[in-house]
Amino acid sequence: YRRPQTLEEQMLASIEKKLIYDAPYIKSIDAKNFVFDISRAGNWDSCPKIFKNYLDPHVIKKNLSNNLLTAQKAEELINMTVEHDDIKEKNVYQKQVEILEFWGDIALEDGEILEDVLITIAGRKHIIRAENNPFVINPFVHANLIEDPYTHRGISPLSVSLVFNSLASNILNKQLDALSLIINPPYLAPKGAFKGVQNISPGDVIEYDPSLMPVPPAALKFDSALIGWDFIKYFKSQTESATGIFKNMAGAIQASARTATELNYTIAGQSTRLNSIVEKFYKKIVIPSIEKIADLLAAFKYGKETICVRSRGEFVYLDIDEQIPENLIS
């Protein structure tokens, strides 16, 4: 390892060290705070994207990257948070100012296209930053397991189970109401037969005036209300079929009688679903993230670097630099 000699080399080494130890991490962004042009999503790096978050105005003022932030703009942003209504005003939330970051290509009014730029708007009023992409690469990775054909956003695999679970819960709640009426039923009796309000509990004696009631009071029956279990079982089977999640995969005993062949098909089907999810996660998130971090680190490399590659079953160490071999130039 050669110690950097010149000031430029020292600065590059400091940047490289910061990139290695600080930069390579992935942060999840809420889908509702991120929008993009679906018609240009095929070319993701140049696709216009807008990321929304909220920052304290004092933090915005101290950020030296905001090259268009003036003292007047900073003062107005601070005043926005003094008196505001979170319900009526969308540019302020919990004493923080809304920040909209535009990434990608943008067309000006005169037809000129600015490629790969970053434009930041604070409080939906002031442009506080406008420059070429300072991160060299597109810092966003968009991925989904099930893609909506219209919005190109992701659909949760559990969305269908939420509907089935809601219907099953409504049926179960009604059955519990019927059960409470069966345990403590209301009675049918002539008016004035009972004295006051009768609180029924196990072992209590119900007192009534026999002169006003020729026949004993009759309890209303609600046994016919205990139906719907078949519907709950149906919703359960539909949820398992739609999501591929079965309790027996976690070690639970299968309640219904199934043959060994059916269980083998069930296990094979769920394994296929899980492998598909892992493959999509690896292909859409892991690989693009590694590629972007590698491009970012490579952009700040200088001088020769020794790498280990495998050639014909053997490990070989090569020295690489910024020069491209002539046999690789097409």
Side-chain angles (χ1 to χ4, degrees):
Y1 177 75
R2 183 177 63 87
R3 182 179 299 275
Q5 300 296 329
T6 64
L7 178 61
E8 181 180 0
E9 289 182 350
Q10 294 178 6
M11 293 177 63
L12 288 174
S14 176
I15 294 174
E16 180 180 351
K17 181 178 179 182
K18 184 174 181 59
L19 288 172
I20 293 176
Y21 293 103
D22 298 338
Y25 72 96
I26 298 177
K27 178 182 179 181
S28 177
I29 297 177
D30 194 338
K32 66 182 180 181
N33 293 332
F34 186 77
V35 296
F36 57 90
D37 187 356
I38 60 176
S39 63
R40 299 171 60 184
N43 188 3
W44 183 245
D45 290 341
S46 63
C47 172
K49 301 168 284 291
I50 298 178
F51 168 54
K52 181 178 75 171
N53 62 341
Y54 292 89
L55 293 176
D56 187 277
H58 297 283
V59 175
I60 300 174
K61 183 178 180 181
K62 294 179 180 179
N63 190 353
L64 300 179
S65 300
N66 298 325
N67 52 4
L68 297 182
L69 179 62
T70 61
Q72 182 180 358
K73 292 181 180 180
E75 189 67 24
E76 292 185 12
L77 294 177
I78 295 175
N79 293 335
M80 284 184 183
T81 61
V82 176
E83 295 181 0
H84 72 283
D85 189 344
D86 287 343
I87 299 178
K88 295 181 180 180
E89 300 180 11
K90 303 298 182 181
N91 56 350
V92 176
Y93 179 70
Q94 295 183 351
K95 303 297 182 179
Q96 293 183 326
V97 179
E98 181 192 64
I99 301 296
L100 297 176
E101 295 181 357
F102 176 89
W103 299 78
D105 299 350
I106 186 173
L108 303 181
E109 294 182 352
D110 57 0
E112 182 183 358
I113 297 179
L114 302 179
E115 298 181 355
D116 197 13
V117 296
L118 166 61
I119 301 176
T120 305
I121 300 176
R124 301 191 180 186
K125 184 177 181 181
H126 299 297
I127 298 178
I128 61 175
R129 185 177 184 181
E131 59 180 336
N132 293 330
N133 183 2
F135 297 106
V136 182
I137 62 171
N138 172 25
F140 297 100
V141 175
H142 172 255
N144 49 52
L145 298 178
I146 304 176
E147 185 174 288
D148 187 285
Y150 300 103
T151 63
H152 289 248
R153 287 183 172 271
I155 303 176
S156 173
L158 300 179
S159 59
V160 63
S161 66
L162 296 178
V163 179
F164 290 144
N165 185 66
S166 177
L167 294 174
S169 298
N170 290 335
I171 294 176
L172 183 59
N173 289 334
K174 293 183 182 298
Q175 290 175 341
L176 293 176
D177 293 339
L179 183 62
S180 63
L181 292 173
I182 294 175
I183 296 174
N184 191 9
Y187 281 79
L188 184 63
K191 183 177 181 180
F194 290 97
K195 298 178 181 179
V197 178
Q198 297 291 335
N199 295 321
I200 308 300
S201 60
D204 282 355
V205 178
I206 302 177
E207 297 180 356
Y208 63 95
D209 190 350
S211 62
L212 299 177
M213 184 180 298
V215 294
L220 299 181
K221 296 183 178 181
F222 297 92
D223 297 343
S224 59
L226 290 179
I227 59 175
W229 297 106
D230 293 336
F231 279 104
I232 293 180
K233 293 180 180 178
Y234 169 76
F235 293 143
K236 175 179 176 295
S237 64
Q238 290 297 313
T239 301
E240 291 178 346
S241 300
T243 60
I245 301 175
F246 301 88
K247 290 185 177 180
N248 62 297
M249 292 295 294
I253 299 176
Q254 191 73 23
S256 59
R258 284 188 177 182
T259 64
T261 303
E262 289 177 331
L263 289 178
N264 287 333
Y265 280 127
T266 300
I267 294 173
Q270 181 161 358
S271 299
T272 303
R273 289 173 181 263
L274 294 177
N275 291 335
S276 176
I277 293 176
V278 173
E279 179 66 22
K280 288 183 178 179
F281 180 82
Y282 182 78
K283 182 179 179 181
K284 294 185 176 182
I285 298 179
V286 176
I287 293 181
S289 301
I290 294 176
E291 290 178 347
K292 288 182 179 295
I293 294 176
D295 289 342
L296 183 62
L297 295 176
F300 292 93
K301 293 287 184 179
Y302 66 95
K304 290 185 178 182
E305 183 176 359
T306 303
I307 63 172
C308 180
V309 297
R310 189 168 184 174
S311 176
R312 298 180 180 181
E314 296 182 356
F315 291 99
V316 180
Y317 291 90
L318 299 177
D319 293 334
I320 60 174
D321 54 18
E322 298 87 350
Q323 301 298 325
I324 301 177
E326 296 182 357
N327 56 354
L328 296 181
I329 301 176
S330 57

